[in-house]
Amino acid sequence: MTHSIVPVVDEESVLAAHLQEIRRGSVVVACLAVLRQEHYGYSLLSTLEAAGFPVEANTLYPLLRRLEKQGLLTSNWNTDESRPRKFYTVSPEGERLLGQLAQEWEQLNSNIRAVMQDKS
């Protein structure tokens, strides 16, 4: 006689983990797209949230530094106001990557739709 152990699955936490994986890559694409216009950190956070991409500041700022180090963003400091702000914008390399990522995203989306409809 065989016995199988059925694990207790917390569906909510499983869903949350998978959604986090999907969002992790999409935030990079969203940041590059939004940064086609110049933004400083807080304005980028607000813009992303309004567009349906809520991001924590402790996630966004390291991401901005990493994208800048990879040459995908450029930055400059604005010291004209009482509070200096670092403004970011997508570089030409970042614009090219954004185009490639968006194209790949569309292809993946199409592929997912196809397998979802496949009933073979």
Side-chain angles (χ1 to χ4, degrees):
M1 184 154 123
T2 61
H3 296 284
S4 61
I5 299 174
V6 179
V8 176
V9 177
D10 177 3
E11 290 180 30
E12 209 170 289
S13 59
V14 169
L15 175 61
H18 286 288
L19 288 175
Q20 182 180 14
E21 288 297 315
I22 290 171
R23 288 184 181 129
R24 188 171 287 142
S26 63
V27 166
V28 171
V29 176
C31 280
L32 291 172
V34 169
L35 288 172
R36 288 180 290 177
Q37 294 183 337
E38 191 175 65
H39 284 271
Y40 60 95
Y42 184 76
S43 72
L44 179 58
L45 279 172
S46 300
T47 302
L48 288 170
E49 186 165 348
F53 290 92
V55 182
E56 297 290 325
N58 60 358
T59 299
L60 181 66
Y61 290 105
L63 173 63
L64 291 173
R65 286 191 294 275
R66 187 175 82 234
L67 295 175
E68 185 177 21
K69 187 175 180 180
Q70 293 171 344
L72 304 173
L73 299 179
T74 59
S75 67
N76 62 17
W77 283 96
N78 180 336
T79 56
D80 294 342
E81 298 184 22
S82 61
R83 184 180 203 184
R85 291 185 172 140
K86 190 174 188 179
F87 282 80
Y88 296 90
T89 190
V90 70
S91 69
E93 295 84 3
E95 189 69 47
R96 279 193 294 280
L97 180 68
L98 173 60
Q100 292 169 330
L101 291 174
Q103 185 175 8
E104 180 68 18
W105 186 273
E106 289 298 323
Q107 184 62 55
L108 288 170
N109 213 10
S110 175
N111 296 346
I112 289 170
R113 277 195 295 277
V115 297
M116 293 292 291
Q117 294 174 359
D118 186 17
K119 301 196 178 170
S120 55

